Amino acid sequence: MQQFGKVAVLMGGWSAEREVSLKSGQAVLQALQSQGVDAQGVDASRQLHQQLDGFDRVFNILHGRGGEDGDVQGLLNILQLPYTGSGVLGSALAMDKLLTKQLWKGTGLPTPDYVILNSEQDCQHAIETLGLPLMIKPVLEGSSIGMSKVVSEQDMVPAWQKARQSDCIVIAEKFVSGSEYTAAILGDRVLPMIKLETPRDFYDYEAKYSADDTRYICPCGLDVEMERLLGSLVLRAFSAVHASGWGRVDFMIDEFAQPWLIEVNTVPGMTDHSLVPMAARQAGVDFETLVIQILEQTL
């Protein structure tokens, strides 16, 4: 693995997803080292430019703000260090759920309607315009942090106030009743899709990281032609926000078999229990091979 030189596995950072990133980073680091790559873990700080001195390339596994939103990508461009995943523009657009939805709507891709929430009056307007239930989302957080499902009017303002704590724009999104899926992308290939099932109100932080009753169904149960068509939609959604390299697109399918795009993740979780490795295994790609294939994109 001499062609990679010295590799920094960038993890941790200062976002709300720090702990998840550290777990992903350790899994990636161990996998790279097991394949003979000269890799070292780097817990990103505000002195990152100094921390990266002497490295030849970066496997970026920072989740959330600061690492997944274009900030670190811009620094790595300045330092002329090749890195995994999307560039500055793709990272910034995909991290912002509002901009992602605006781009998708502008290019004719299906995504649930929404209302921007700046006040209690906006909360009432969202209920009148979109109806209940609604998903309330801070647009710059991942891992469902700050999100709530609202089913009654009295819960609307508290959900908005909770989301505002993330210090970013908050939207109310029309709730899609149906089945939830995720599609991992590796290069220009869509990996086998995964159906997600949880007894909770929605696929929230606990369902993702701690609950033992979340079900991951892969193969997902869709017929071959349907999965092919959805794969084409997912690739269009991914490229529409200028994402590249690898990532994940989450979507719903409603009771009328209509797909609805929800969001793009440009640095998804990478523990051995995460969704991208799960999809890769279904495609015959083990975790060690997966991380090498992602790193090869930097050559």
Side-chain angles (χ1 to χ4, degrees), residues 74-273:
L75 174 62
L76 297 176
N77 287 345
I78 292 170
L79 297 177
Q80 296 185 301
L81 280 176
Y83 55 91
T84 55
S86 298
V88 173
L89 181 59
S91 299
L93 289 174
M95 188 69 202
D96 191 314
K97 294 179 177 67
L98 175 58
L99 289 179
T100 294
K101 290 175 74 65
Q102 290 171 333
L103 271 169
W104 283 344
K105 279 185 170 290
T107 52
L109 293 169
T111 188
D113 289 336
Y114 66 93
V115 168
I116 298 172
L117 304 180
N118 291 314
S119 66
E120 291 189 20
Q121 289 72 27
D122 290 335
C123 291
Q124 187 58 40
H125 174 64
I127 292 172
E128 293 169 356
T129 304
L130 303 175
L132 292 171
L134 292 169
M135 291 301 301
I136 310 305
K137 300 180 176 183
V139 302
L140 295 180
E141 291 290 11
S143 293
S144 300
I145 290 169
M147 283 175 51
S148 302
K149 179 183 177 183
V150 171
V151 297
S152 63
E153 281 197 43
Q154 60 263 35
D155 293 333
M156 186 68 182
V157 171
W160 168 60
Q161 291 172 335
K162 173 186 173 182
R164 287 176 69 199
Q165 294 173 11
S166 293
D167 193 28
C168 61
I169 293 172
V170 177
I171 61 171
E173 182 182 72
K174 187 175 180 63
F175 182 78
V176 177
S177 179
S179 300
E180 185 165 358
Y181 297 84
T182 191
I185 294 170
L186 184 60
D188 57 2
R189 177 187 180 193
V190 180
L191 299 178
M193 295 176 183
I194 301 171
K195 184 179 182 182
L196 311 171
E197 291 185 350
T198 174
R200 305 176 72 85
D201 283 342
F202 65 98
Y203 188 50
D204 59 10
Y205 189 94
E206 286 73 24
K208 289 173 178 174
Y209 300 116
S210 59
D212 57 10
D213 54 3
T214 304
R215 295 185 65 213
Y216 304 98
I217 303 169
C218 189
C220 67
L222 297 170
D223 64 53
V224 173
E225 179 62 13
M226 182 64 167
E227 193 160 351
R228 185 190 68 78
L229 291 171
L230 288 168
S232 176
L233 175 67
V234 160
L235 287 175
R236 287 172 58 205
F238 196 66
S239 64
V241 296
H242 297 269
S244 60
W246 75 292
R248 214 184 70 226
V249 176
D250 300 334
F251 63 96
M252 303 284 297
I253 298 180
D254 69 17
E255 56 193 314
F256 306 107
Q258 165 68 45
W260 296 97
L261 297 163
I262 302 300
E263 66 177 273
V264 176
N265 292 275
T266 55
V267 187
M270 278 290 283
T271 70
D272 56 2
H273 297 299

